Amino acid sequence: MAQEITVPQLGESVTEGTIAEWLKQPGDGVAVDEPIVSLETDKVAVEVPSPVAGVIGELMAEVGDTVEVGAVIATVMPGGTPAGDGEEPARAQQQREEGREERSEKQDDAEKSSDGASSEAQALSPSVRRAVLEHGLDPSTIKGSGKDGRLTKEDVLAAAKAKQSGQGASTSAPAPSPSTAQPSSTGERREERVKMTRMRQTIAKRLKGAQDNAALLTTFNDVDMSAVIEARGKYKELFAKKHDIKLGFMGFFAKAACLALKDVPAANAYIEGEEIVYHDYVDISVAVSAPNGLVVPVIRNADQKGFAQIEKDIANFGARAKDGTLTMDDMKGGTFTISNGGVFGSLMSTPIINPPQSAVLGLHRIEDRAVVIDGEIVVRPMMYLALSYDHRLIDGREAVTALKIMKEAIEDPMRMLIDL
């Protein structure tokens, strides 16, 4: 008897999701707890595993469909034989292959008669297509590692990382010769409409809601990173050897923020109705770039954690964001946010608060600049800091004070050790 696969509970107040990608197709073998489908919710992507080992039967929803919690989306035949093992499955497999070949031939014919777009671009899965659009890459320049050379999401992310680091896509194909670059001479312009993912829709609503509901203001300062860079250089090897994690900049800024929020509690509070909710703890939301958008997992009780645990939490969040395995609980709560646009090369920005929080710290790239110290012009590694805040709750004096405390702690890290 076929085992039904239903949409699991997706988190508090989340009642539905969207089919992002089918990881298994009818006739494919599946093991117990092996993911068969990826669902997108407002905040995270969730993989639904098979409760039994067997063969995938019928898929009852298509990519892009919205499905409610508890809805049946597929069936699994327990103990069945995967296609390719035995005469009947082999015949089914052959029929599927023939169907694929027929569709491929039709696709090739259609492409030849249209604008000359490659079949590789047309065969992208939804998740790969979103990743390509998100990172602004040309899929024809990326070598696929999947079956039959198909592109995978990992291929796209690797190419994006290589492009970001300035190395360029190492898997890029040779540039076409002028004689083969015919489509560019036709003068045709194309458009493509892609439905926003649920996560992107939620991000858009929350950011716009923050602008509509809060009185946003940003204050700036700059910070000399010499002391932190020196400390990292001096202790990074010992730190990594003892804690099995690299000593990064975010640990310093997280601890500096905890110091400031203790002295300026309004920056660690939020408005709820006609009341102000203050916290005697610091849960720092760290903005992390994921394939489908920006997510903000939370470092809980950051004020009670040391540098090593904060760095481990951040590294764990980054890896899980890339893999799409962050959960709703990882992003629940948060009293203050740190967003590091510097990793992408940003010089300065005005970050938007993460509701219902009232403040967010924006970090930017480090660059050598000429500054005046003790009457002399010297070169120092400088970074611009930006603190955006809800002016309904936080006065300008409090915001400037909080940012100044962070600046002083970064320029003199000893302050973080003696709680000054």
Side-chain angles (χ1 to χ4, degrees):
M1 181 177 179
Q3 173 78 43
E4 293 182 340
I5 307 298
T6 60
V7 178
Q9 290 293 328
L10 301 172
E12 185 180 355
S13 75
V14 179
T15 60
E16 62 184 20
T18 300
I19 302 292
E21 181 180 8
W22 283 105
L23 307 176
K24 295 288 185 179
Q25 295 297 322
D28 290 346
V30 63
V32 177
D33 292 332
E34 184 178 3
I36 64 171
V37 63
S38 176
L39 296 176
E40 283 185 350
T41 68
D42 293 346
K43 295 183 178 180
V44 295
V46 178
E47 290 185 343
V48 180
S50 173
V52 296
V55 176
I56 301 297
E58 182 182 2
L59 305 184
M60 300 178 181
E62 298 181 355
V63 172
D65 286 353
T66 297
V67 290
E68 297 183 351
V69 171
V72 178
I73 55 176
T75 59
V76 176
M77 299 298 295
T81 305
D85 297 339
E87 183 177 351
E88 288 301 321
R91 186 178 299 115
Q93 176 72 10
Q94 181 179 359
Q95 291 174 349
R96 284 198 302 275
E97 293 296 336
E98 291 175 352
R100 290 194 190 104
E101 291 176 2
E102 182 178 354
R103 288 193 299 273
S104 178
E105 290 175 359
K106 292 180 179 179
Q107 186 180 37
D108 290 342
D109 292 340
E111 289 165 351
K112 291 176 182 178
S113 62
S114 61
D115 58 8
S118 67
S119 60
E120 185 177 352
Q122 300 295 330
L124 299 180
S125 69
S127 63
V128 173
R129 182 178 292 274
R130 283 195 298 273
V132 167
L133 294 174
E134 184 78 18
H135 295 284
L137 299 175
D138 180 358
S140 66
T141 65
I142 307 172
K143 184 178 179 180
S145 62
K147 184 179 180 181
D148 299 326
R150 290 176 180 266
L151 282 183
T152 66
K153 185 162 64 176
E154 289 70 23
D155 297 330
V156 178
L157 295 178
K161 184 176 181 180
K163 178 182 178 182
Q164 177 186 326
S165 64
Q167 300 171 355
S170 60
T171 53
S172 298
S177 63
S179 60
T180 61
Q182 295 300 325
S184 61
S185 63
T186 63
E188 294 183 2
R189 300 192 301 173
R190 291 178 292 164
E191 293 181 352
E192 181 179 11
R193 292 181 179 269
V194 179
K195 185 178 179 180
M196 293 174 68
T197 64
R198 295 181 66 88
M199 184 183 296
R200 177 53 61 184
Q201 293 178 45
T202 300
I203 291 173
K205 290 177 182 177
R206 287 176 60 82
L207 293 179
K208 186 57 181 173
Q211 289 184 319
D212 292 341
N213 299 322
L216 292 179
L217 190 62
T218 303
T219 184
F220 298 94
N221 213 321
D222 60 0
V223 58
D224 184 345
M225 297 293 293
S226 298
V228 168
I229 292 174
E230 182 181 354
R232 287 186 71 215
K234 185 176 181 179
Y235 297 112
K236 64 180 181 181
E237 293 184 2
L238 291 174
F239 188 89
K241 184 177 181 179
K242 180 176 181 178
H243 301 291
D244 195 28
I245 190 71
K246 292 182 179 179
L247 178 60
F249 290 120
M250 282 295 288
F252 287 93
F253 280 103
K255 296 302 292 183
C258 291
L259 201 64
L261 298 177
K262 180 179 178 180
D263 286 355
V264 187
N268 196 43
Y270 64 85
I271 295 175
E272 188 175 82
E274 296 182 353
E275 297 179 332
I276 299 174
V277 181
Y278 291 96
H279 306 91
D280 65 352
Y281 55 87
V282 179
D283 285 352
I284 296 182
S285 302
V286 181
V288 177
S289 180
N292 292 332
L294 196 70
V295 293
V296 279
V298 180
I299 302 174
R300 307 197 186 280
N301 298 313
D303 54 321
Q304 300 177 21
K305 292 181 176 179
F307 280 80
Q309 189 56 55
I310 289 175
E311 292 292 352
K312 288 179 180 179
D313 288 351
I314 294 172
N316 177 264
F317 288 147
R320 292 169 60 200
K322 181 179 178 181
D323 297 338
T325 57
L326 288 173
T327 66
M328 293 288 191
D329 288 339
D330 292 325
M331 290 176 281
K332 187 183 300 181
T335 62
F336 182 80
T337 294
I338 298 179
S339 178
N340 187 5
V343 295
F344 303 108
S346 172
L347 176 64
M348 187 180 291
S349 67
T350 55
I352 299 177
I353 63 173
N354 178 23
Q357 298 173 22
S358 297
V360 53
L361 174 66
L363 308 182
H364 303 91
R365 75 171 185 250
I366 302 170
E367 63 176 8
D368 288 340
R369 290 203 297 270
V371 295
V372 179
I373 299 179
D374 296 330
E376 295 183 358
I377 299 177
V378 295
V379 176
R380 290 286 188 270
M382 305 296 292
M383 176 195 288
Y384 286 117
L385 302 180
L387 183 72
S388 290
Y389 58 99
D390 188 347
H391 210 347
R392 297 178 302 165
L393 172 60
I394 304 171
D395 294 332
R397 176 184 60 83
E398 294 174 310
V400 172
T401 299
L403 193 58
K404 186 171 180 287
I405 293 173
M406 296 181 207
K407 167 187 169 68
E408 292 173 344
I410 294 298
E411 293 183 339
D412 184 6
M414 184 61 71
R415 287 173 173 267
M416 290 182 270
L417 298 179
I418 61 177
D419 193 18
L420 183 61

